Amino acid sequence: MNWKMQGAPERKYQQPEAGLTVTDGTQVAGYASLFGKRDQGGDVVQKGAYAASLAKLAAGGRAVKMLWQHDPTQPIGVWDEVREDATGLWVKGRILTEVEKGREAAALLTAGAIDGLSIGYRTVKAERDGKGQRHLQELELWEVSLVTFPMLPEARVSAKGEVPGDEIWQEVAALFAAATETLAGRS
């Protein structure tokens, strides 16, 4: 059974086994989606599912957005590269520490308080198999978010080679102190 779907965005929380790396607390790279892997919702993304969407975005001079927790009012960075390969959807980008939520996200990533990725998309073409699994054949990709709770238990970001030390905790405390002052000034 094939169908086209319209409507609200869907989200998939995952950080594949291939791993997402974080360098210097702001440089992020890895797979946001893996082909052929069943998620907890029973969906399986097929190879090539993002190709048409990525081509359309490129032709229009637009890009996939980097958001915080799927909130469209909270962009936190830029995906410099988003592409499909034989494994899945690979992303590489920068968290912008000039943005308040970006500073918070970078601090939380570095501290290990958040460690998940999630994609936001609209299903264009899908097929259900006899087991009720949805095979996603074409997706309109809107955004890739950093999130607190990934859908897959093993879906985690790892900051390779980084061990939080006292200087990081001091930086986190300074960021929260600055945020508190900013909020107090708005009252």
Side-chain angles (χ1 to χ4, degrees), residues 20-29 93 95 109-110 158-160 162:
L20 179 78
T21 59
V22 180
T23 309
D24 298 328
T26 60
Q27 305 295 310
V28 182
I95 297 172
L109 262 173
T110 301
S158 63
K160 294 185 178 180
E162 295 181 15

Side-chain angles (χ1 to χ4, degrees), residues 12 14-18 33-47 87-88 133-136 151-152 154:
K12 294 286 179 218
Q14 66 180 10
Q15 163 52 43
E17 299 85 16
S33 175
L34 289 177
F35 297 136
K37 300 281 184 180
R38 182 176 185 255
D39 67 23
Q40 290 183 358
D43 291 341
V44 179
V45 178
Q46 302 297 303
K47 288 182 182 179
T87 303
Q133 291 181 343
R134 200 168 55 143
H135 293 265
L136 305 175
M151 188 174 210
L152 298 173
E154 63 275 7

Side-chain angles (χ1 to χ4, degrees), residues 49-72:
Y50 301 103
S53 179
L54 294 176
K56 184 177 179 180
L57 285 168
R62 294 177 296 138
V64 174
K65 305 300 182 195
M66 180 190 292
L67 300 180
W68 175 249
Q69 307 281 356
H70 295 294
D71 186 341

Side-chain angles (χ1 to χ4, degrees), residues 20-32 63-67 76-83 90-97 106 109 117 144 146:
L20 179 78
T21 59
V22 180
T23 309
D24 298 328
T26 60
Q27 305 295 310
V28 182
Y31 286 93
V64 174
K65 305 300 182 195
M66 180 190 292
L67 300 180
I76 58 167
V78 177
W79 293 117
D80 296 312
E81 189 174 349
V82 179
R83 63 177 163 79
W90 189 82
V91 296
K92 178 181 177 185
R94 301 168 276 131
I95 297 172
L96 301 177
T97 56
L109 262 173
L117 273 184
V144 177
L146 292 173

